[in-house]
């Protein structure tokens, strides 16, 4: 019995919707290729597969985030004609600030609930 080929990488993504453009897209959460398999075309193949999903589903864009210091990844993405966006920055709330923000949504006595979920 033949063994399946080894898993050398993966891509995790989810669909998005832009309220600015009224169009659907894809957000790539994580692209990973095992170090010993890098530079073998696997990352390019994974991104090409995601692009195929986008085209088939009518998604207008494929987006992801890259750490500022990860220049090898940036060079790879540029080789595929991807470009960094200007005018946008990633924002985060976590730790105590997240807990404090959640507390703002707790109902006050006599008020309705604030649970949007």
């Amino acid at each position: 019995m033949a063994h399946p080929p080894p898993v050398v990488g993966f891509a995790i993504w989810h669909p998005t919707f832009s309220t600015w453009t009224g169009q659907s897209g894809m957000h790539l959460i994580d692209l990973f290729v095992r170090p010993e398999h890098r530079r073998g075309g696997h990352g390019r193949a994974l991104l090409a597969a995601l692009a195929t999903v986008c085209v088939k589903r009518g998604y207008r864009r494929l987006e992801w985030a890259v750490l500022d210091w990860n220049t090898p990844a940036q060079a790879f993405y540029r080789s595929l004609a991807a470009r960094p966006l200007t005018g946008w920055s990633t924002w985060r709330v976590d730790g105590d600030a997240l807990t404090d923000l959640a507390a703002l949504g707790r109902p006050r006595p006599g008020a309705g609930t604030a649970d949007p979920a």
Side-chain angles (χ1 to χ4, degrees):
M1 176 181 222
H3 295 288
V7 174
V8 300
F10 61 85
I12 301 172
W13 64 275
H14 63 80
T16 61
F17 182 79
S18 171
T19 57
W20 286 65
T21 65
Q23 298 173 334
S24 297
M26 177 185 288
H27 182 79
L28 175 61
I29 297 170
D30 200 359
L31 176 70
F32 178 78
V33 175
R34 291 182 182 198
E36 64 271 21
H37 295 283
R38 291 179 186 163
R39 304 196 63 79
H42 303 293
R44 183 179 304 269
L46 285 166
L47 286 171
L50 295 180
T52 299
V53 171
C54 287
V55 170
K56 285 184 178 179
R57 293 185 181 187
Y59 295 170
R60 303 294 301 191
R61 60 187 179 194
L62 167 58
E63 296 179 322
W64 60 91
V66 183
L67 291 166
D68 291 339
W69 57 261
N70 195 344
T71 54
Q74 292 173 27
F76 168 64
Y77 296 137
R78 281 189 174 94
S79 77
L80 300 175
R83 58 185 169 59
L85 296 178
T86 58
W88 291 89
S89 60
T90 301
W91 291 63
R92 175 180 293 163
V93 61
D94 58 7
D96 290 341
L98 181 63
T99 304
D100 294 345
L101 181 58
L104 294 176
R106 291 193 191 115
R108 294 179 302 272
T113 64
D115 183 5

